[in-house]
Amino acid sequence: MTYKFFIAFLFVAFAIIVQVGLGSVSGVWIDVVLAALITAAFFVDLSELILLISLSVFILNWQPAFSLEMLFLAVLPIAAFFFHKRIPFKPWLANVVVVFLGILILYLLLGLGLLFRDPAFFLWDTAGSLLAGIFVFQGLWILGPRRI
């Protein structure tokens, strides 16, 4: 484990607290954990990313039942790990693009009905997730060594 993993762990842990706290208090589920995990994929190694994903899935889905949401929460950051270098933008803009694509893919695969029934919810979720991704990116960029 490295210093950058510890910093990424703190940001992902904070995102879990925010997502669970915000969801249980207001009923609004912003995908800040997905945004934090996708952003962490820009900075940590694959084994460290898998550990972060495993911890996140375990905490968010403590029930022993299979969940498609948790499967995609695990797969999308790993995909971001392998494809973020192929995006021809500056790293911060690539992060925004990849987080947006992750949220969009999540909605297209799991919440297509919600996307059309309540587009404002999708826009709020996307805006909150993008802000979380930018926050985590800036924190990891300033505090941690770069792998980008």
Side-chain angles (χ1 to χ4, degrees):
M1 300 299 149
T2 60
Y3 174 71
K4 62 185 170 184
F5 171 78
F6 180 70
I7 301 234
F9 173 79
L10 290 176
F11 278 109
V12 170
F14 181 71
I16 290 170
I17 292 168
V18 168
Q19 184 164 327
V20 170
L22 190 64
S24 63
V25 169
S26 66
V28 175
W29 290 99
I30 297 174
D31 296 310
V32 293
V33 174
L34 179 62
L37 288 171
I38 288 173
T39 302
F42 281 62
F43 293 91
V44 298
D45 298 327
L46 184 60
S47 61
E48 295 170 336
L49 180 63
I50 290 171
L51 183 59
L52 288 172
I53 291 168
S54 300
L55 291 170
S56 300
V57 168
F58 178 72
I59 292 170
L60 292 176
N61 189 31
W62 52 270
Q63 302 169 354
F66 177 75
S67 169
L68 281 176
E69 292 88 0
M70 293 301 119
L71 175 67
F72 289 118
L73 182 74
V75 170
L76 291 173
I78 292 172
F81 178 84
F82 288 111
F83 293 113
H84 80 272
K85 287 188 179 181
R86 299 181 197 277
I87 298 175
F89 303 130
K90 298 272 187 192
W92 68 269
L93 185 56
N95 177 60
V96 171
V97 169
V98 172
V99 169
F100 175 76
L101 289 174
I103 299 299
L104 183 63
I105 290 169
L106 188 68
Y107 271 89
L108 291 175
L109 295 173
L110 300 174
L112 195 57
L114 180 63
L115 182 64
F116 291 117
R117 187 173 53 248
D118 192 4
F121 181 80
F122 169 73
L123 293 175
W124 279 109
D125 186 8
T126 303
S129 300
L130 288 174
L131 286 174
I134 291 169
F135 173 75
V136 172
F137 185 88
Q138 289 301 318
L140 287 170
W141 185 265
I142 291 169
L143 298 173
R146 294 166 188 82
R147 183 185 65 80
I148 297 176

